[in-house]
Amino acid sequence: MGEACTELDARLEAVANAAALLGSRLPRVRDPALGRWMAHAIDALLRNISSGHGGLDVAIGEGLDALTVGRRAMDLSYSNVGDYAREELGINASTAVKMARLARRLQDRPLVREAVRRGELTARKAEIIAPVAVGDDQARWILVAKAETVRSLKVRVKAPPDPDDEEWVNLCAEILPEKRPVIDEGLRLAGVAIGATATKMQRVNAWAQERLSTHAAPADEHADDVLFSSEDDFEALKERLEQENRQWAGLAAIDPLKAVQFSGEIDPWRIDAELKGLVEKRRCWDEVFGHVAMLFKTSRAWEPLGFASFGHYCEERLGMAERTVAQRIALERSLYRIPLLRRALREKRISYEKARIIARHAEGEEVQGWIEKAETMTCVALRRAMQAKDEAQMCARGTFSVWMTVSVAEVVKAAFRAARAAAKRWLSAGECLVALAEHFVEVWREQLKQVNTLQRRIRARDKHFCQVPGCSRAAVHAHHIKPRSQGGSDDPSNLISLCAAHHLHGIHGGRMRVTGAAPDELIWEFGLRRSYAAGEDPKVDCSSASRLTELGALTSRGGALSSTLASSG
């Protein structure tokens, strides 16, 4: 591991020095030959950076997978590795789950795992061949993967599309003020039907599917609000460019970079400390990666290199999904636009994930205030607060906005056509949404009537979310803070909403404790099963250890922490 770390640090120093020469933007060039030379140079730099970045991801994925064994993440106060990674490591939850899933798959494929660790195979190609590269077939599939492009490899393996890589689109519509209550009631009822933590996309999808279940959509017309290019045409273009460029044989070859290895630790607190050390190294790579990737996309350098699109380049050369790279580029642009955010990130006042949330939702003078709030809030609480702010602003403007995947957008488009056919006239996107919401409310209002029980009132007070700081799961249980067996009452101040995992395996499993009065005066204690002091082992990160002990005495009486420890949003 020491040799791999030395090589990793040396490569980072070299690429960081080279990236520093590029500045914040590239000069415009008219000479095509000079443009191609610049594109080749940036490609070589970006490939070196992605190699180091990916090498660290392998070790981080193995550490995250270790936390899934025996509910080790619960000892760190989290019910799943997604929540842990988002709050403690600043890594997006879905990205963390994907990293842990690949690490788990590679445990039974030692040859593939070693090829990825040595940098001979990208994680993207390993994901594709994992279902077929088993047993004695591993070596053959590794050779095939090295020789094939990602596109042709997916065709050979007949790999299904990765749902995490699906394209997203935004639907924004004008809603008349008098129709806003219909939209709100439709969203509320959809939440009752499919779950209180359902996203706005899932609720609008429920509206659309309900409409289509009783009203067939007419044949596609030229009246859709969202247009898509033909996927078949795009795949044919990719194939042609691969053949023309001989799989980009003319581009610079990058020396493989051996990844650091996860130690195989089983103690959750030592795993936590090791992961934080790896993520600190990853943060250094990430800063350089964001800068160079932004320059690459801004200059459209993939065109002279012979790729069909920026996404095509990301998948083939970097072994990364376009969405992952685009998110980092979007943050880098925000960091140039908002220097306060970059300073807070470098000073470690906020994590990468918190910076991404603030950059997406805050502008101008409000950024400083949100940075200060973010220091005392969990990521999930910050995201919910930002979303609530955006919803309030959209209501004031009379607009309704929802991000959705292309597959959901197709369902919504069909429902729009059905609504227009039923009305026998053209309806705007806003009018279609109102029609879908009205239909859903009419069908489900009576069926979804609920008895006003004490548990439902408690969950409504807590906004239907688990109240453990950093938990993103829905609340399904109402927990008595002081047990009834010890004289506790059913008073709302003695009841708190929890997810099943935290209630059964956290509280009753002896891993954590909550005392005080709900909802604003709660005291959380974590790490109760810890069997040694942090200072006794040099491997343990003292900041991690102190967090677990300090939280034991942390009380949310007023201030910015109340939303984190009491209402999580």
Side-chain angles (χ1 to χ4, degrees), residues 66-76 265-268 271:
L67 285 179
T68 66
V69 178
R71 296 190 180 276
R72 290 171 183 156
M74 185 68 75
D75 284 316
L76 301 174
E265 181 59 65
I266 61 173
D267 182 273
I271 294 172

Side-chain angles (χ1 to χ4, degrees), residues 64 67-88 93 97 380 384 465-475 498-507 511-512 526 547:
L64 290 172
L67 285 179
T68 66
V69 178
R71 296 190 180 276
R72 290 171 183 156
M74 185 68 75
D75 284 316
L76 301 174
S77 83
Y78 298 99
S79 63
N80 57 79
V81 293
D83 285 347
Y84 164 79
R86 182 185 59 247
E87 302 296 343
E88 297 295 332
V97 170
V380 69
R384 289 170 187 163
F465 288 108
C466 177
Q467 296 302 286
V468 176
C471 184
S472 61
R473 288 184 167 178
L498 296 174
C499 66
H502 273 122
H503 191 204
L504 301 177
H505 301 287
I507 299 288
R511 291 176 168 90
M512 62 183 64
F526 301 119
R547 173 188 174 273

Side-chain angles (χ1 to χ4, degrees), residues 226-298:
V226 187
L227 300 177
F228 306 98
S229 60
S230 169
E231 186 67 22
D232 291 339
D233 292 344
F234 193 56
E235 289 298 312
L237 175 60
K238 286 182 179 180
E239 184 177 6
R240 179 172 61 79
L241 289 172
E242 289 170 15
Q243 294 171 352
E244 287 180 359
N245 294 283
R246 293 177 294 111
Q247 297 186 12
W248 307 285
L251 297 184
I254 304 301
D255 292 333
L257 183 62
K258 184 185 296 185
V260 296
Q261 289 193 58
F262 174 66
S263 65
E265 181 59 65
I266 61 173
D267 182 273
W269 290 278
R270 291 191 178 100
I271 294 172
D272 172 60
E274 186 172 344
L275 281 173
K276 286 177 177 174
L278 292 170
V279 167
E280 179 59 27
K281 285 183 175 292
R282 186 180 189 262
R283 185 189 64 78
C284 299
W285 282 90
D286 199 53
E287 186 170 351
V288 183
F289 179 79
H291 175 209
V292 179
M294 181 187 70
L295 295 177
F296 185 91
K297 187 175 183 182
T298 303

Side-chain angles (χ1 to χ4, degrees), residues 194-410:
I194 61 177
T197 57
T199 63
K200 191 190 291 188
M201 176 190 75
Q202 292 169 328
R203 299 183 191 211
V204 172
N205 187 36
W207 294 355
Q209 293 197 26
E210 178 58 45
R211 182 76 187 202
L212 292 172
S213 69
T214 55
H215 297 75
D220 195 5
E221 55 194 60
H222 299 291
D224 288 329
D225 297 303
V226 187
L227 300 177
F228 306 98
S229 60
S230 169
E231 186 67 22
D232 291 339
D233 292 344
F234 193 56
E235 289 298 312
L237 175 60
K238 286 182 179 180
E239 184 177 6
R240 179 172 61 79
L241 289 172
E242 289 170 15
Q243 294 171 352
E244 287 180 359
N245 294 283
R246 293 177 294 111
Q247 297 186 12
W248 307 285
L251 297 184
I254 304 301
D255 292 333
L257 183 62
K258 184 185 296 185
V260 296
Q261 289 193 58
F262 174 66
S263 65
E265 181 59 65
I266 61 173
D267 182 273
W269 290 278
R270 291 191 178 100
I271 294 172
D272 172 60
E274 186 172 344
L275 281 173
K276 286 177 177 174
L278 292 170
V279 167
E280 179 59 27
K281 285 183 175 292
R282 186 180 189 262
R283 185 189 64 78
C284 299
W285 282 90
D286 199 53
E287 186 170 351
V288 183
F289 179 79
H291 175 209
V292 179
M294 181 187 70
L295 295 177
F296 185 91
K297 187 175 183 182
T298 303
S299 62
R300 300 181 67 86
W302 68 86
E303 292 178 344
L305 297 180
F307 291 89
S309 66
F310 178 65
H312 189 205
Y313 172 84
C314 292
E315 190 169 60
E316 296 292 352
R317 290 291 284 174
L318 306 183
M320 303 169 71
E322 179 184 10
R323 187 179 170 203
T324 303
V325 183
Q327 285 177 344
R328 186 59 188 85
I329 291 172
L331 175 60
E332 188 67 21
R333 287 173 175 163
S334 298
L335 295 178
Y336 275 105
R337 191 179 72 253
I338 313 171
L340 279 174
L341 200 58
R342 187 185 294 277
R343 188 185 314 147
L345 196 58
R346 285 179 172 172
E347 292 172 356
K348 300 180 184 178
R349 294 169 58 195
I350 58 175
S351 66
Y352 166 83
E353 187 65 13
K354 287 182 178 179
R356 197 167 67 90
I357 295 169
I358 295 173
R360 185 189 300 173
H361 298 277
E363 290 288 344
E365 297 178 355
E366 63 180 2
V367 170
Q368 179 61 41
W370 280 109
I371 290 174
E372 293 173 0
K373 290 179 182 178
E375 291 183 78
T376 58
M377 298 174 76
T378 62
C379 287
V380 69
L382 177 64
R383 186 181 67 218
R384 289 170 187 163
M386 286 288 198
Q387 289 172 345
K389 174 186 77 73
D390 289 350
E391 286 294 327
Q393 290 176 343
M394 283 190 290
C395 287
R397 293 195 303 264
T399 59
F400 180 88
S401 177
V402 55
W403 282 93
M404 60 184 73
T405 60
V406 169
S407 57
V408 171
E410 292 291 350

Side-chain angles (χ1 to χ4, degrees), residues 456-464 492-493 495-497 518-519:
R456 288 201 175 102
R457 290 197 297 273
I458 295 302
R459 286 203 289 271
R461 180 199 69 188
D462 295 335
K463 298 181 176 61
H464 299 277
S493 64
L495 288 165
I496 183 173
S497 302

Side-chain angles (χ1 to χ4, degrees), residues 36-143:
R36 282 193 297 273
W37 178 84
M38 289 178 62
H40 278 256
I42 299 176
D43 165 68
L45 182 57
L46 198 54
R47 284 272 289 126
N48 272 289
I49 299 170
S50 65
S51 178
H53 199 278
L56 285 166
D57 284 354
V58 172
I60 292 171
E62 291 174 342
L64 290 172
D65 181 54
L67 285 179
T68 66
V69 178
R71 296 190 180 276
R72 290 171 183 156
M74 185 68 75
D75 284 316
L76 301 174
S77 83
Y78 298 99
S79 63
N80 57 79
V81 293
D83 285 347
Y84 164 79
R86 182 185 59 247
E87 302 296 343
E88 297 295 332
L89 307 181
I91 298 175
N92 182 270
S94 61
T95 301
V97 170
K98 198 172 182 178
M99 291 162 66
R101 184 173 64 237
L102 177 62
R104 186 160 52 253
R105 276 188 158 185
L106 295 185
Q107 285 180 354
D108 299 328
R109 298 161 177 82
L111 295 182
V112 179
R113 176 184 177 275
E114 188 63 17
V116 174
R117 198 183 74 78
R118 291 183 176 278
E120 299 168 359
L121 205 63
T122 65
R124 185 73 186 98
K125 287 186 175 181
E127 287 175 358
I128 295 171
I129 67 172
V132 292
V134 294
D136 295 337
D137 277 346
Q138 290 183 74
R140 181 172 68 85
W141 276 107
I142 290 171
L143 293 174

